[in-house]
């Protein structure tokens, strides 16, 4: 009578190969330093903890407007990170990121330059950005073999499940390789709404998904999300980038138990 | 913007005091030996792992029809268990238990005798039993200060959320002190149905709840159920009594992370 677990969770692929051999979920740790030295010291502190992906949250980087310095810092991250994939993200302030000094057209050109640099494996760009901008980021990332995450964040609330499924679908429609949804719960039942929408999207969309419910309650979605379709979870390596993130060592232990108990990878 | 976690999960009380100081959830390990010696050897193996509650699954006990031997074995369990609360359960075969040789009226008299013995802290009786029988078990347990769990199990499927909420409500209507629902998922979304129904029942019913989704997927409900209203989770001490149970040491580690991350007790 026991179910044999089959998960529909699709692993994130880079150049045709799943990250970390297809482990679900992979663990991503954010880098939030404001200076090159701060970012690199985070890399050095985090790498021994063996994250599967590093996310450089470039909206924290004070020299974001200086493309040469961004590229130089990306090169230094890459030199240290070795084979660990690096995700480049400018989270917009309207979706919970830091305030930056450059306008969106410059951000798009920065994404194009980062993609062309060959130093980065994935980029994250919000699906809510003007379609022209998104298409430009899509074209540049595709040209240079960089995977594109189309993302949606809501730090205030959790929209209804249908609306969340639509956000995953929008990213797919915009030809993102991966769709991400991160929302804030106001009650434990909002956490179930996020998981339920993720599972529904995993049944209907052909691309890998990333999702999380933020904050205290939501932290459980960071532990069990892969059972419901999420391929990647964020953990604290040195610094947190969103509420509810768990230290990587603790999260890895929990994920091992979840995988063993559910029979997933 | 981060939520301060407030859980509606109500701890199980014994004689006016919450088990394990109100820790949520408490961990219960089953005893499934067929003989007195087998049961006592399980107790000896399990107690060093410090479960919060021991459940004696008496439907496995081959001398269930001999009340004196049941009471004598309960006494030996109690002597070993010390302050650890003991739950006495005859799971009916129609709800996933072992086949037994005595008829329901004898079972009810056995429950009355066990309650009168003063050796047991809680009893579990299915809400689906004839109302007269349930009332007799309720009266005997109340008279002797034994907490009564009114339970519902479905090893085939997960009914709709409304039906599950009705099962919790039925146990409350029958004046059980605690309502329990355990169901089998056919997909990950059934796990969310069980958690959602538990949360809804926790909002409307004044009594503590116990719930779990069984099997591989369902095992995650054994880890995060307390965030959604479940006050007790079953773990494997020496032997499993239902599919999806996790070894107690592993579960305790996960629960500590869940509590820390969600800010619950």
């Amino acid at each position: 009578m026991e179910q044999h677990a089959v998960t529909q969770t699709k692993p994130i692929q880079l150049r045709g190969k799943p990250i970390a051999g297809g482990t679900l979920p992979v663990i991503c740790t954010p880098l939030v330093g404001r200076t090159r030295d701060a970012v690199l010291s985070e890399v050095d502190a985090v790498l021994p903890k063996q994250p599967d992906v590093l996310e450089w949250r470039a909206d924290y980087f004070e020299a974001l407007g200086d493309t040469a310095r961004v590229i130089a810092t990306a090169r230094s991250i890459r030199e240290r990170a070795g084979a660990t994939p690096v995700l480049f993200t400018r989270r917009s302030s309207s979706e919970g990121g830091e305030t930056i000094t450059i306008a969106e057209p410059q951000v798009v050109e920065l994404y194009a330059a980062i993609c062309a640099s060959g130093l980065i494996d994935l980029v994250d760009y919000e699906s809510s950005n003007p379609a022209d901008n998104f298409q430009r980021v899509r074209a540049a990332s595709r040209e240079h073999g960089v995977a594109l995450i189309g993302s949606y964040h809501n730090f205030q609330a959790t929209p209804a499940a249908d609306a969340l499924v639509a956000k995953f679908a929008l990213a797919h429609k915009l030809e993102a390789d991966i769709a991400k949804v991160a929302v804030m719960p106001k009650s434990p039942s909002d956490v179930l709404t996020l998981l339920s929408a993720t599972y529904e999207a995993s049944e209907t969309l052909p691309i890998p998904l990333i999702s999380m419910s933020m904050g205290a309650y939501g932290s459980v979605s960071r532990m069990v999300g892969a059972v419901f379709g999420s391929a990647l979870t964020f953990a604290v390596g040195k610094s947190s980038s969103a509420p509810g993130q768990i230290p990587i060592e603790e999260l890895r232990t929990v994920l091992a138990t979840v995988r063993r108990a559910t029979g997933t990878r």
Side-chain angles (χ1 to χ4, degrees), chain A residues 5-23:
Chain A
V6 282
T7 172
Q8 301 174 110
T9 308
K10 299 160 196 75
I12 298 171
Q13 312 257 347
L14 295 179
R15 298 168 210 94
K17 290 175 69 173
I19 298 175
T23 297

Side-chain angles (χ1 to χ4, degrees), chain A residues 46-205:
Chain A
V46 164
L47 276 179
K49 301 178 182 181
Q50 299 183 287
D52 301 305
V53 179
L54 292 174
E55 180 189 48
W56 183 19
R57 275 287 302 273
D59 49 303
Y60 283 92
F61 191 60
E62 61 187 16
L64 189 68
D66 184 338
T67 300
R69 286 175 67 186
V70 172
I71 299 285
T73 301
R75 178 165 291 114
S76 298
I77 295 172
R78 166 56 60 213
E79 285 165 4
R80 282 168 166 75
T84 305
V86 177
L87 161 62
F88 178 87
T89 301
R90 180 291 319 253
R91 178 70 50 245
S92 72
S93 60
S94 62
E95 296 205 6
E98 299 295 291
T99 302
I100 60 174
T101 55
I102 55 175
E104 202 60 24
Q106 285 174 271
V107 170
V108 171
E109 291 318 304
L110 178 62
Y111 268 76
I114 271 286
C115 289
S117 75
L119 299 167
I120 294 286
D121 303 279
L122 310 96
V123 292
D124 174 315
Y125 195 62
E126 294 95 2
S127 320
S128 63
N129 281 297
D132 284 0
N133 292 347
F134 199 94
Q135 283 165 23
R136 173 91 176 99
V137 171
R138 172 66 288 189
S141 53
R142 183 172 281 148
E143 181 181 352
H144 298 287
V146 171
L148 172 59
I149 301 171
S151 65
Y152 167 76
H153 304 75
N154 188 328
F155 279 70
Q156 272 68 52
T158 300
D162 286 356
L164 297 180
V165 172
K167 295 296 184 187
F168 285 117
L170 172 61
H172 176 53
K173 185 171 168 240
L174 291 169
E175 301 185 27
D177 300 301
I178 300 136
K180 178 188 173 190
V181 167
V183 291
M184 185 65 81
K186 291 187 172 168
S187 78
S189 82
D190 281 344
V191 180
L192 302 178
T193 298
L194 179 277
L195 292 172
S196 183
T198 306
Y199 185 69
E200 188 179 336
S202 78
E203 289 189 297
T204 51
L205 297 177

